[in-house]
Amino acid sequence: MRANMRFVGHLFLRQLLSAKVVGGILRELVLCDAEDLAPQEHALECACELLNCVGLTLESMPYGQAVMPVVFARLQSLKAQRAADGKGAYTKRMQFTIQDLIDTREAGWTRKVFRSSAKTMEEIRASAPQGQGGETVLVGLRPCYMSGEVERFVRTHTA
């Protein structure tokens, strides 16, 4: 299911799906219109995967600017939701996944990635500050060969 969400996200990034379709999928996955119901964990995982794939691009569009606050408010409330026994309604893994997504959005859709190509010890020492590992990448961006509003948005907001 996560691969399907990534596929839907890449269709959107290549302008084969509209922002309204992706926004509708997100609202349906997190049950924004049914506050009294709690979505299943796999639906939340799919929503997080889709948001990781298209977040920056979707948020730069007018429709996305309307949908994203609603979806993230719902994710925040679901993360904090408790069951009758006082434990979290969702597993810790799901709570951390939601928190990682929220942190990624707050950081301007940048995320630290720890997998990279092999480097020599000298290259590692020269490129990374002491005590810090990994590199940051921008997530949810259209491919570089696609021209349009998103690239201008990124240039103006990261410069």
Side-chain angles (χ1 to χ4, degrees), residues 41 44-45 48 90-98:
E41 194 162 311
L44 285 179
E45 195 167 353
C48 290
Y90 296 101
T91 62
K92 288 288 186 189
R93 185 185 69 80
M94 193 69 243
Q95 291 175 22
F96 285 125
T97 301
I98 293 170

Side-chain angles (χ1 to χ4, degrees), residues 21-62:
V21 170
V22 174
I25 292 170
L26 287 169
R27 291 176 58 89
E28 184 68 30
L29 285 171
V30 298
L31 299 177
C32 284
D33 299 328
E35 295 282 327
D36 55 329
L37 297 174
Q40 294 181 352
E41 194 162 311
H42 70 273
L44 285 179
E45 195 167 353
C46 287
C48 290
E49 186 70 35
L50 184 57
L51 281 167
N52 271 324
C53 191
V54 302
L56 175 67
T57 303
L58 185 62
E59 197 160 39
S60 69
M61 300 175 150

Side-chain angles (χ1 to χ4, degrees), residues 1-8 42 45-46 49-50 93:
M1 289 178 67
R2 289 175 54 199
N4 285 336
M5 289 298 109
R6 233 176 288 129
F7 177 66
V8 168
H42 70 273
E45 195 167 353
C46 287
E49 186 70 35
L50 184 57
R93 185 185 69 80

Side-chain angles (χ1 to χ4, degrees), residues 62-83:
Y63 185 78
Q65 290 173 357
V67 168
M68 294 295 259
V70 174
V71 170
F72 272 91
R74 178 71 170 152
L75 284 172
Q76 187 73 33
S77 69
L78 289 171
K79 182 180 81 95
Q81 198 173 50
R82 298 283 170 216

